[in-house]
Amino acid sequence: EEKVSDTVEGAGRTGTEATGGEDGIIELQSTDDIVNLKRAAELVNDRNRIVMLTSFGLNWALTVLNEVYFLRKYDFDGVLGIFGSREECEAIMRQEVVKLKVCTFISVGKFLDSDNAWPANRLRWLEQLAFMGYEVLMTDTDICFVSNPFIGLEASGKNIVTSGAVSNFNLGALYANGASTRADKDRDLGMLTEINKRLSQMTQDFKNAPKGSVSIAVLNDQSMVNDVMQQWISD
């Protein structure tokens, strides 16, 4: 295979060797593997739009197929699913009910070794995809779509759309328009960069703490995201 090195301007991260894909499965070597993330995005995007769903564990992975089914009913076929193992992807690609264009995964071991191994690490992928120039809607897998979500999101004219008020923000859904032509796009997308910078620091602080001295439950990534968003609006 040809080695590829690619940097996404603004996201400030460099990719690694392109791997997999021949069987419809692409492996991310880390949460910063831009090359393979870009390959997956190029294969799945629908008119430069992506719905990104992440899931660890086969039971949850199967819920992604529900999202794909309903989105296709509303003329959208741009789901990027990122899962937790090759075995999950192999099972998903074998089933005949709802076929995926591509199944992308990051192994749990490589995920935990990444600089940002937080559950909200999907925000790193959201940032990277947005700086590639895609419109990206990141959602939980238990959301039910009753229409094509991009109709309303694009009509809003916003670079970033959140679920809930900023003071009570929820990570269940977040839209970033990397294709926006607004003058303030880079500033707004910079909020994602700042969030991920703090998530990386949070991850490192947790990894470096003496074993058992800090519970992961008390390190609230949701509150940190709220703080960044409030700061961005006030500035």
Side-chain angles (χ1 to χ4, degrees):
E1 293 180 322
E2 180 182 1
K3 289 190 175 182
V4 181
S5 180
D6 197 3
T7 301
V8 177
E9 184 178 356
R13 298 171 175 86
T14 303
T16 56
E17 182 179 355
T19 56
E22 296 81 3
D23 54 359
I25 298 175
I26 294 177
E27 179 179 5
L28 299 179
Q29 301 299 318
S30 73
T31 55
D32 284 333
D33 183 358
I34 281 182
V35 167
N36 285 305
L37 182 66
K38 184 177 181 180
R39 292 176 66 223
E42 289 172 345
L43 291 169
V44 305
N45 81 88
D46 183 340
R47 291 158 288 185
N48 210 50
R49 304 173 182 90
I50 292 172
V51 170
M52 184 183 71
L53 300 162
T54 58
S55 175
F56 284 68
L58 184 56
N59 287 341
W60 281 107
L62 293 176
T63 66
V64 172
L65 302 181
N66 291 327
E67 311 290 356
V68 175
Y69 173 79
F70 282 104
L71 285 166
R72 284 177 178 168
K73 283 185 63 176
Y74 304 119
D75 192 34
F76 180 81
D77 192 17
V79 171
L80 172 61
I82 302 179
F83 305 97
S85 70
R86 174 172 289 277
E87 290 71 24
E88 290 172 41
C89 276
E90 289 174 344
I92 287 171
M93 298 304 279
R94 281 197 304 268
Q95 58 81 36
E96 297 291 338
V97 180
V98 179
K99 302 296 287 185
L100 298 185
K101 297 176 183 176
V102 171
C103 190
T104 306
F105 78 96
I106 180 170
S107 67
V108 172
K110 290 177 180 177
F111 167 68
L112 293 176
D113 286 340
S114 298
D115 288 340
N116 184 348
W118 220 254
N121 76 300
R122 56 187 180 162
L123 288 164
R124 179 74 63 92
W125 294 320
L126 175 66
E127 174 199 1
Q128 292 167 343
L129 290 167
F131 274 108
M132 289 178 196
Y134 291 106
E135 287 183 60
V136 191
L137 174 60
M138 177 193 80
T139 79
D140 285 346
T141 61
D142 57 358
I143 287 179
C144 182
F145 292 100
V146 296
S147 65
N148 184 333
F150 288 95
I151 296 173
L153 291 169
E154 292 172 353
S156 74
K158 303 297 184 182
N159 297 320
I160 301 284
V161 178
T162 71
S163 56
V166 174
S167 59
N168 190 27
F169 174 71
N170 187 284
L171 285 173
L174 180 59
Y175 167 75
N177 187 358
S180 171
T181 57
R182 288 177 49 135
D184 56 356
K185 179 187 75 171
D186 288 345
R187 179 193 178 279
D188 287 350
L189 295 185
M191 180 184 70
L192 299 176
T193 303
E194 178 63 22
I195 287 172
N196 285 313
K197 177 182 176 182
R198 297 194 195 185
L199 282 174
S200 292
Q201 186 61 56
M202 186 182 289
T203 302
Q204 291 307 309
D205 289 347
F206 178 73
K207 286 182 177 181
N208 295 333
K211 188 175 181 179
S213 64
V214 180
S215 168
I216 195 169
V218 304
L219 300 175
N220 192 332
D221 55 322
Q222 181 75 75
S223 295
M224 183 277 294
V225 170
N226 286 342
D227 290 344
V228 174
M229 296 193 69
Q230 289 174 328
Q231 174 189 335
W232 235 252
I233 290 177
S234 64
D235 289 345

